[in-house]
PDB file of all heavy atoms in Angstrom:
ATOM      1  N   VAL A  11       4.259  10.485  -9.128  1.00 42.00           N
ATOM      2  CA  VAL A  11       3.704  10.777 -10.447  1.00 42.00           C
ATOM      3  C   VAL A  11       2.992  12.132 -10.429  1.00 42.00           C
ATOM      4  O   VAL A  11       3.172  12.950 -11.321  1.00 42.00           O
ATOM      5  CB  VAL A  11       2.750   9.653 -10.917  1.00 42.00           C
ATOM      6  CG1 VAL A  11       1.979  10.073 -12.160  1.00 42.00           C
ATOM      7  CG2 VAL A  11       3.542   8.385 -11.173  1.00 42.00           C
ATOM      8  N   ALA A  12       2.215  12.393  -9.381  1.00 45.00           N
ATOM      9  CA  ALA A  12       1.522  13.677  -9.275  1.00 45.00           C
ATOM     10  C   ALA A  12       2.524  14.824  -9.218  1.00 45.00           C
ATOM     11  O   ALA A  12       2.362  15.843  -9.888  1.00 45.00           O
ATOM     12  CB  ALA A  12       0.627  13.696  -8.035  1.00 45.00           C
ATOM     13  N   TYR A  13       3.597  14.663  -8.436  1.00 49.00           N
ATOM     14  CA  TYR A  13       4.630  15.693  -8.339  1.00 49.00           C
ATOM     15  C   TYR A  13       5.292  15.902  -9.697  1.00 49.00           C
ATOM     16  O   TYR A  13       5.483  17.016 -10.144  1.00 49.00           O
ATOM     17  CB  TYR A  13       5.674  15.294  -7.296  1.00 49.00           C
ATOM     18  CG  TYR A  13       6.808  16.286  -7.176  1.00 49.00           C
ATOM     19  CD1 TYR A  13       6.675  17.423  -6.391  1.00 49.00           C
ATOM     20  CD2 TYR A  13       7.999  16.086  -7.856  1.00 49.00           C
ATOM     21  CE1 TYR A  13       7.703  18.335  -6.277  1.00 49.00           C
ATOM     22  CE2 TYR A  13       9.031  16.999  -7.755  1.00 49.00           C
ATOM     23  CZ  TYR A  13       8.879  18.115  -6.962  1.00 49.00           C
ATOM     24  OH  TYR A  13       9.901  19.023  -6.861  1.00 49.00           O
ATOM     25  N   SER A  14       5.632  14.812 -10.382  1.00 50.00           N
ATOM     26  CA  SER A  14       6.301  14.901 -11.673  1.00 50.00           C
ATOM     27  C   SER A  14       5.431  15.596 -12.709  1.00 50.00           C
ATOM     28  O   SER A  14       5.897  16.452 -13.452  1.00 50.00           O
ATOM     29  CB  SER A  14       6.677  13.508 -12.177  1.00 50.00           C
ATOM     30  OG  SER A  14       7.551  12.896 -11.261  1.00 50.00           O
ATOM     31  N   VAL A  15       4.162  15.247 -12.771  1.00 53.00           N
ATOM     32  CA  VAL A  15       3.242  15.876 -13.716  1.00 53.00           C
ATOM     33  C   VAL A  15       3.013  17.328 -13.336  1.00 53.00           C
ATOM     34  O   VAL A  15       3.029  18.214 -14.183  1.00 53.00           O
ATOM     35  CB  VAL A  15       1.903  15.096 -13.760  1.00 53.00           C
ATOM     36  CG1 VAL A  15       0.856  15.863 -14.537  1.00 53.00           C
ATOM     37  CG2 VAL A  15       2.125  13.722 -14.344  1.00 53.00           C
ATOM     38  N   PHE A  16       2.833  17.578 -12.052  1.00 55.00           N
ATOM     39  CA  PHE A  16       2.537  18.922 -11.572  1.00 55.00           C
ATOM     40  C   PHE A  16       3.680  19.879 -11.870  1.00 55.00           C
ATOM     41  O   PHE A  16       3.474  21.018 -12.232  1.00 55.00           O
ATOM     42  CB  PHE A  16       2.271  18.856 -10.065  1.00 55.00           C
ATOM     43  CG  PHE A  16       1.431  19.969  -9.550  1.00 55.00           C
ATOM     44  CD1 PHE A  16       0.119  20.107  -9.949  1.00 55.00           C
ATOM     45  CD2 PHE A  16       1.956  20.887  -8.664  1.00 55.00           C
ATOM     46  CE1 PHE A  16      -0.673  21.134  -9.471  1.00 55.00           C
ATOM     47  CE2 PHE A  16       1.176  21.919  -8.176  1.00 55.00           C
ATOM     48  CZ  PHE A  16      -0.143  22.037  -8.588  1.00 55.00           C
ATOM     49  N   CYS A  17       4.919  19.416 -11.707  1.00 58.00           N
ATOM     50  CA  CYS A  17       6.089  20.288 -11.862  1.00 58.00           C
ATOM     51  C   CYS A  17       6.789  20.109 -13.203  1.00 58.00           C
ATOM     52  O   CYS A  17       7.851  20.682 -13.416  1.00 58.00           O
ATOM     53  CB  CYS A  17       7.064  20.056 -10.717  1.00 58.00           C
ATOM     54  SG  CYS A  17       6.421  20.698  -9.169  1.00 58.00           S
ATOM     55  N   ALA A  18       6.215  19.352 -14.109  1.00 62.00           N
ATOM     56  CA  ALA A  18       6.870  19.119 -15.393  1.00 62.00           C
ATOM     57  C   ALA A  18       7.103  20.418 -16.154  1.00 62.00           C
ATOM     58  O   ALA A  18       8.125  20.597 -16.804  1.00 62.00           O
ATOM     59  CB  ALA A  18       6.041  18.151 -16.233  1.00 62.00           C
ATOM     60  N   SER A  19       6.163  21.341 -16.081  1.00 67.00           N
ATOM     61  CA  SER A  19       6.298  22.600 -16.810  1.00 67.00           C
ATOM     62  C   SER A  19       6.716  23.753 -15.895  1.00 67.00           C
ATOM     63  O   SER A  19       6.672  24.900 -16.293  1.00 67.00           O
ATOM     64  CB  SER A  19       4.975  22.933 -17.494  1.00 67.00           C
ATOM     65  OG  SER A  19       3.977  23.135 -16.517  1.00 67.00           O
ATOM     66  N   CYS A  20       7.133  23.447 -14.699  1.00 73.00           N
ATOM     67  CA  CYS A  20       7.485  24.483 -13.726  1.00 73.00           C
ATOM     68  C   CYS A  20       8.996  24.691 -13.651  1.00 73.00           C
ATOM     69  O   CYS A  20       9.774  23.776 -13.877  1.00 73.00           O
ATOM     70  CB  CYS A  20       7.019  24.071 -12.323  1.00 73.00           C
ATOM     71  SG  CYS A  20       5.259  23.957 -12.145  1.00 73.00           S
ATOM     72  N   GLU A  21       9.345  25.900 -13.286  1.00 85.00           N
ATOM     73  CA  GLU A  21      10.729  26.196 -12.941  1.00 85.00           C
ATOM     74  C   GLU A  21      10.946  25.684 -11.528  1.00 85.00           C
ATOM     75  O   GLU A  21      10.156  25.952 -10.634  1.00 85.00           O
ATOM     76  CB  GLU A  21      10.938  27.707 -12.990  1.00 85.00           C
ATOM     77  CG  GLU A  21      12.281  28.156 -12.504  1.00 85.00           C
ATOM     78  CD  GLU A  21      12.393  29.668 -12.420  1.00 85.00           C
ATOM     79  OE1 GLU A  21      11.439  30.374 -12.787  1.00 85.00           O
ATOM     80  OE2 GLU A  21      13.445  30.130 -11.952  1.00 85.00           O
ATOM     81  N   GLU A  22      12.008  24.916 -11.322  1.00 91.00           N
ATOM     82  CA  GLU A  22      12.301  24.389  -9.989  1.00 91.00           C
ATOM     83  C   GLU A  22      13.297  25.299  -9.276  1.00 91.00           C
ATOM     84  O   GLU A  22      14.350  25.626  -9.829  1.00 91.00           O
ATOM     85  CB  GLU A  22      12.839  22.967 -10.068  1.00 91.00           C
ATOM     86  CG  GLU A  22      11.789  21.957 -10.466  1.00 91.00           C
ATOM     87  CD  GLU A  22      12.287  20.527 -10.377  1.00 91.00           C
ATOM     88  OE1 GLU A  22      13.343  20.287  -9.765  1.00 91.00           O
ATOM     89  OE2 GLU A  22      11.610  19.661 -10.924  1.00 91.00           O
ATOM     90  N   ILE A  23      12.952  25.699  -8.074  1.00 91.00           N
ATOM     91  CA  ILE A  23      13.799  26.548  -7.255  1.00 91.00           C
ATOM     92  C   ILE A  23      14.128  25.752  -5.996  1.00 91.00           C
ATOM     93  O   ILE A  23      13.232  25.381  -5.249  1.00 91.00           O
ATOM     94  CB  ILE A  23      13.084  27.869  -6.924  1.00 91.00           C
ATOM     95  CG1 ILE A  23      12.750  28.589  -8.231  1.00 91.00           C
ATOM     96  CG2 ILE A  23      13.945  28.735  -6.021  1.00 91.00           C
ATOM     97  CD1 ILE A  23      11.676  29.608  -8.119  1.00 91.00           C
ATOM     98  N   ILE A  24      15.413  25.469  -5.792  1.00 94.00           N
ATOM     99  CA  ILE A  24      15.818  24.563  -4.712  1.00 94.00           C
ATOM    100  C   ILE A  24      16.786  25.261  -3.763  1.00 94.00           C
ATOM    101  O   ILE A  24      17.772  25.857  -4.193  1.00 94.00           O
ATOM    102  CB  ILE A  24      16.468  23.294  -5.290  1.00 94.00           C
ATOM    103  CG1 ILE A  24      15.465  22.548  -6.177  1.00 94.00           C
ATOM    104  CG2 ILE A  24      16.991  22.397  -4.171  1.00 94.00           C
ATOM    105  CD1 ILE A  24      16.043  21.394  -6.950  1.00 94.00           C
ATOM    106  N   PHE A  25      16.463  25.169  -2.472  1.00 95.00           N
ATOM    107  CA  PHE A  25      17.353  25.598  -1.397  1.00 95.00           C
ATOM    108  C   PHE A  25      17.634  24.344  -0.574  1.00 95.00           C
ATOM    109  O   PHE A  25      16.727  23.792   0.022  1.00 95.00           O
ATOM    110  CB  PHE A  25      16.691  26.660  -0.511  1.00 95.00           C
ATOM    111  CG  PHE A  25      16.309  27.904  -1.248  1.00 95.00           C
ATOM    112  CD1 PHE A  25      15.039  28.048  -1.770  1.00 95.00           C
ATOM    113  CD2 PHE A  25      17.228  28.937  -1.418  1.00 95.00           C
ATOM    114  CE1 PHE A  25      14.686  29.195  -2.451  1.00 95.00           C
ATOM    115  CE2 PHE A  25      16.884  30.086  -2.094  1.00 95.00           C
ATOM    116  CZ  PHE A  25      15.604  30.223  -2.617  1.00 95.00           C
ATOM    117  N   LYS A  26      18.878  23.907  -0.569  1.00 97.00           N
ATOM    118  CA  LYS A  26      19.207  22.665   0.120  1.00 97.00           C
ATOM    119  C   LYS A  26      20.469  22.856   0.955  1.00 97.00           C
ATOM    120  O   LYS A  26      21.450  23.415   0.486  1.00 97.00           O
ATOM    121  CB  LYS A  26      19.403  21.537  -0.891  1.00 97.00           C
ATOM    122  CG  LYS A  26      19.505  20.175  -0.261  1.00 97.00           C
ATOM    123  CD  LYS A  26      19.394  19.077  -1.285  1.00 97.00           C
ATOM    124  CE  LYS A  26      19.410  17.760  -0.537  1.00 97.00           C
ATOM    125  NZ  LYS A  26      18.795  16.704  -1.237  1.00 97.00           N
ATOM    126  N   ASN A  27      20.396  22.377   2.215  1.00 98.00           N
ATOM    127  CA  ASN A  27      21.540  22.422   3.128  1.00 98.00           C
ATOM    128  C   ASN A  27      22.096  23.834   3.302  1.00 98.00           C
ATOM    129  O   ASN A  27      23.300  24.044   3.261  1.00 98.00           O
ATOM    130  CB  ASN A  27      22.651  21.472   2.647  1.00 98.00           C
ATOM    131  CG  ASN A  27      22.179  20.055   2.514  1.00 98.00           C
ATOM    132  OD1 ASN A  27      21.418  19.558   3.331  1.00 98.00           O
ATOM    133  ND2 ASN A  27      22.609  19.392   1.457  1.00 98.00           N
ATOM    134  N   LYS A  28      21.216  24.800   3.493  1.00 96.00           N
ATOM    135  CA  LYS A  28      21.648  26.191   3.662  1.00 96.00           C
ATOM    136  C   LYS A  28      21.263  26.703   5.042  1.00 96.00           C
ATOM    137  O   LYS A  28      20.272  26.279   5.615  1.00 96.00           O
ATOM    138  CB  LYS A  28      21.019  27.082   2.599  1.00 96.00           C
ATOM    139  CG  LYS A  28      21.484  26.761   1.195  1.00 96.00           C
ATOM    140  CD  LYS A  28      20.985  27.791   0.217  1.00 96.00           C
ATOM    141  CE  LYS A  28      21.378  27.433  -1.179  1.00 96.00           C
ATOM    142  NZ  LYS A  28      22.641  27.931  -1.586  1.00 96.00           N
TER     143      LYS A  28
END
Side-chain angles (χ1 to χ4, degrees):
V11 169
Y13 178 83
S14 300
V15 170
F16 204 65
C17 289
S19 63
C20 295
E21 173 186 357
E22 289 187 14
I23 300 160
I24 299 172
F25 300 93
K26 190 168 184 156
N27 302 320
K28 295 188 183 271

